[in-house]
Amino acid sequence: MSSIKIFHFIKGYVILSLNGHNKEVSLEKLRKTGVCPEDIAYRDDAIYLRLSDNDFSRIENRKDELCFSVVKKSGGKFFLRSIKRRWVLALWIVLVFATFLVGSRFIWTVEFEGVSEERIAQIENAAALAGIKVGALKSSLPTPMEQKNIILANTDGIAWCWVYIKGTRATVEVRENIIPPEVFAPDVPCDIVAAKDAVIKNIITKRGTCCVADGTAVSAGDLLISAKVSFGEDEGYFTHAQGDCIADTYYEKEGIYKLYINHKTYTGRKRNFLRLKLFGLNIPLYFDDKTDYEFFDTEEKVYEISLGRENYLGVGLEKVSYIEYNVIKEPISAETCTEFARHELEKEIAKELMPGSVKKSDSVSAEKIDEETISVKLAMEFTESIGTEKFIEEVTFIEPKTD
Amino acid sequence: MDIREVVAGSFEMSVFSEVDLPRVMIMGDSGIFVENYLALCEYKSDSIKLATKLGIMEFSGAGFEIKMMKQNNIYISGKLVGMKISGREKV
């Protein structure tokens, strides 16, 4: 049905109304003229009907005889007729179409996905070498495979990339290399050293020579199991040291916290600033973007004209809203504040722990600084494996292979 | 008797194919297609009267709209409740 409606619209049609006492007679007269009325409906004591433009031109001069009045003229044919009389409007429409037609042949937005901030400049340069830059003519770009090769050849630490061009937007999707942790081969000589300050609880040496006794306090970097295995004064060899170094560790974190919680209450005041995005240009549609708000949230929305879902045509509108709010201080007790602080400090300590750590004890203390501030200190004790491998650079003799 | 009816009868042909008798096709209760009608006598949203060779054919219902109106055919949409044919009427 919608295709028929589109067909009628393109052809052009006229809606007529028949009024008076003899509406049916008028309709009959209309039918006898040979026209084909459609969608005849009875509403508000009148008969409405639709005639095609061709049929209407046959009866247009018999308005008094057939007792009809024109309600509406619609469709493409009438639109074109009205434009003929407004040549400036027609010129504008042609110009807009021409701008879109020409503008959509270029790239106006380049986006990068899956790339870290520190590497984005490098990728931008590489993409520019591959022709992916604002203002580039799409037809002059190299093939997608060539673009990929150029970007990969001119960047470090990139495993894969691909350039998607949708409308006037180019999206460079990148996958960075994931650098695996350094693992020494079992035949590479290495020591085991302490990863952090601790008190040794128990060391089980599997390969190498144990250098510390149980109960010894060690600092980060101290040798725990040596790779050197000696037979006498001068004899010996280097091996890949192995063992479990269980130690007690102690952590202490401190922070200053406020004895109130800030609550936002929105005042309802809002200021919007619009920017026109026109083929790579960002034109502000305001004179002054300053606000007198003390506290505010920022909200950004972008409305883009696109063909279909994704084919961006290079024209859009960016709306930045500043939403004002007031801050209300809600006081909390020292106990509640200490509990909040404890959670935060625990998270900080957890970042420094070795895998498989077991908590032994913890204690929290709070000290009031002033009416609104307290200092919270969290101390925690753990049992953890603190041994970490350290490569030995100068090796005189490596352990002979038994097989 | 009309000469065409006599001819149609003598050749044992269908009466509908030869003479101008009205033919009504009712699609459920939502559409009526009438062929060989003579004129539209009355049109309201709840009733339509058509003049035919048999007489006045009256359709009653609700929400009637004439979707198409040609020289001999008419298609009416809307909720059909009843249909009545009254005496022969000269149009």
Side-chain angles (χ1 to χ4, degrees):
Chain A
M1 284 302 283
S2 58
S3 57
I4 294 170
K5 282 180 183 174
I6 292 167
F7 178 70
H8 283 309
F9 183 80
I10 292 168
K11 271 181 72 180
Y13 60 88
V14 183
I15 306 283
L16 301 181
S17 77
L18 304 174
N19 300 297
H21 295 293
N22 295 316
K23 295 181 279 290
E24 286 87 354
V25 175
S26 301
L27 192 59
E28 268 304 303
K29 282 180 183 173
L30 203 68
R31 184 173 69 99
K32 280 173 183 164
T33 58
V35 299
C36 181
E38 289 178 334
D39 286 347
I40 305 163
Y42 188 91
R43 282 196 306 271
D44 306 330
D45 204 28
I47 291 176
Y48 293 88
L49 56 101
R50 194 184 70 216
L51 278 184
S52 69
D53 182 41
N54 289 340
D55 282 351
F56 179 68
S57 58
R58 288 166 66 182
I59 60 152
E60 199 172 3
N61 299 325
R62 298 168 66 186
K63 201 171 182 176
D64 295 331
E65 184 196 338
L66 298 170
C67 303
F68 67 82
S69 57
V70 177
V71 177
K72 189 174 137 189
K73 289 179 179 179
S74 291
K77 211 167 180 178
F78 292 104
F79 178 71
L80 288 175
R81 271 185 213 166
S82 67
I83 278 188
K84 269 183 193 171
R85 289 195 291 269
R86 300 174 192 169
W87 64 272
V88 178
L89 178 68
L91 191 71
W92 266 108
I93 291 169
V94 170
L95 269 175
V96 168
F97 267 101
T99 311
F100 272 111
L101 206 68
V102 176
S104 60
R105 297 175 66 81
F106 295 88
I107 288 174
W108 297 115
T109 314
V110 181
E111 289 177 354
F112 297 92
E113 279 181 13
V115 60
S116 53
E117 283 292 321
E118 61 268 18
R119 197 167 271 165
I120 203 154
Q122 192 189 19
I123 303 280
E124 263 178 359
N125 292 335
L129 287 173
I132 310 297
K133 57 188 173 186
V134 173
L137 187 64
K138 285 195 284 186
S139 58
S140 68
L141 292 177
T143 62
M145 193 54 80
E146 284 170 350
Q147 291 167 12
K148 176 191 168 185
N149 291 339
I150 293 168
I151 294 172
L152 286 179
N154 291 285
T155 46
D156 301 322
I158 300 295
W160 174 87
C161 79
W162 197 257
V163 182
Y164 298 95
I165 294 172
K166 288 169 183 167
T168 62
R169 177 187 286 127
T171 307
V172 183
E173 202 174 316
V174 172
R175 294 282 178 273
E176 292 186 350
N177 277 339
I178 298 165
I179 300 162
E182 200 175 8
V183 177
F184 299 117
D187 56 345
V188 174
C190 66
D191 290 328
I192 290 183
V193 297
K196 55 184 75 179
D197 299 350
V199 176
I200 300 296
K201 191 177 176 185
N202 185 23
I203 286 194
I204 301 164
T205 308
K206 292 173 184 169
R207 290 173 84 179
T209 310
C210 182
C211 299
V212 289
D214 294 352
T216 312
V218 293
S219 302
D222 285 356
L223 184 65
L224 301 179
I225 302 172
S226 171
K228 190 175 181 182
V229 180
S230 304
F231 302 132
E233 283 184 8
D234 297 327
E235 287 185 61
Y237 61 87
F238 285 89
T239 185
H240 184 98
Q242 280 182 341
D244 295 327
C245 308
I246 309 299
D248 291 332
T249 50
Y250 178 81
Y251 297 87
E252 196 176 271
K253 291 278 175 192
E254 192 174 1
I256 292 167
Y257 296 89
K258 297 287 180 190
L259 283 167
Y260 56 80
I261 294 174
N262 287 332
H263 273 293
K264 281 183 186 178
T265 51
Y266 288 96
T267 60
R269 289 173 71 196
K270 187 177 178 181
R271 278 200 74 182
N272 296 323
F273 298 98
L274 296 174
R275 282 196 207 104
L276 180 68
K277 293 169 75 178
L278 189 69
F279 301 123
L281 297 172
N282 214 340
I283 305 161
L285 302 177
Y286 51 84
F287 297 107
D288 184 15
D289 66 342
K290 286 175 188 165
T291 58
D292 54 350
Y293 304 157
E294 190 182 357
F295 303 104
F296 58 86
D297 282 338
T298 311
E299 196 178 86
E300 275 191 35
K301 277 183 185 172
V302 178
Y303 306 95
E304 292 175 340
I305 299 173
S306 58
L307 206 64
R309 265 190 198 172
E310 293 174 330
N311 293 321
Y312 174 47
L313 290 177
V315 180
L317 203 64
E318 190 181 80
K319 183 175 144 191
V320 181
S321 305
Y322 295 120
I323 307 158
E324 191 192 35
Y325 63 83
N326 287 332
V327 175
I328 295 173
K329 289 179 182 177
E330 191 182 311
I332 53 171
S333 66
E335 289 76 23
T336 311
C337 183
T338 309
E339 202 54 36
F340 281 134
R342 182 197 180 97
H343 282 294
E344 283 194 14
L345 296 172
E346 273 181 354
K347 278 182 195 170
E348 280 185 40
I349 290 173
K351 287 175 193 169
E352 298 175 13
L353 293 175
M354 304 292 281
S357 302
V358 180
K359 190 173 89 173
K360 278 177 73 182
S361 64
D362 64 347
S363 66
V364 64
S365 60
E367 192 183 331
K368 203 168 182 178
I369 297 171
D370 56 37
E371 287 302 311
E372 287 193 335
T373 323
I374 60 166
S375 168
V376 181
K377 188 186 281 182
L378 175 68
M380 296 182 91
E381 279 186 358
F382 289 89
T383 299
E384 51 187 324
S385 177
I386 61 160
T388 180
E389 291 176 344
K390 188 186 175 192
F391 176 65
I392 307 165
E393 287 179 357
E394 291 178 10
V395 179
T396 51
F397 180 70
I398 298 172
E399 178 188 9
K401 285 186 180 175
T402 50
D403 56 352
Chain B
M1 188 179 273
D2 193 331
I3 185 72
R4 286 179 294 177
E5 285 179 47
V6 175
V7 175
S10 61
F11 284 99
E12 294 182 350
M13 288 166 75
S14 166
V15 137
F16 295 113
S17 59
E18 288 301 316
V19 295
D20 294 335
L21 287 175
R23 186 150 46 157
V24 182
M25 193 191 294
I26 298 172
M27 280 150 277
D29 62 349
S30 59
I32 311 147
F33 185 74
V34 183
E35 279 183 89
N36 296 332
Y37 78 104
L38 298 175
L40 178 77
C41 298
E42 188 189 292
Y43 174 42
K44 296 261 170 56
S45 60
D46 57 353
S47 79
I48 287 180
K49 284 183 185 173
L50 297 175
T52 65
K53 208 176 175 187
L54 288 179
I56 298 293
M57 198 174 275
E58 186 182 345
F59 299 97
S60 57
F64 282 142
E65 275 189 23
I66 302 171
K67 288 287 172 191
M68 182 203 72
M69 192 180 192
K70 291 192 174 172
Q71 283 304 101
N72 295 316
N73 314 328
I74 186 166
Y75 175 64
I76 303 156
S77 76
K79 179 90 175 167
L80 178 66
V81 174
M83 179 187 159
K84 193 170 80 180
I85 300 172
S86 49
R88 195 176 284 250
E89 187 174 297
K90 195 173 181 181
V91 178

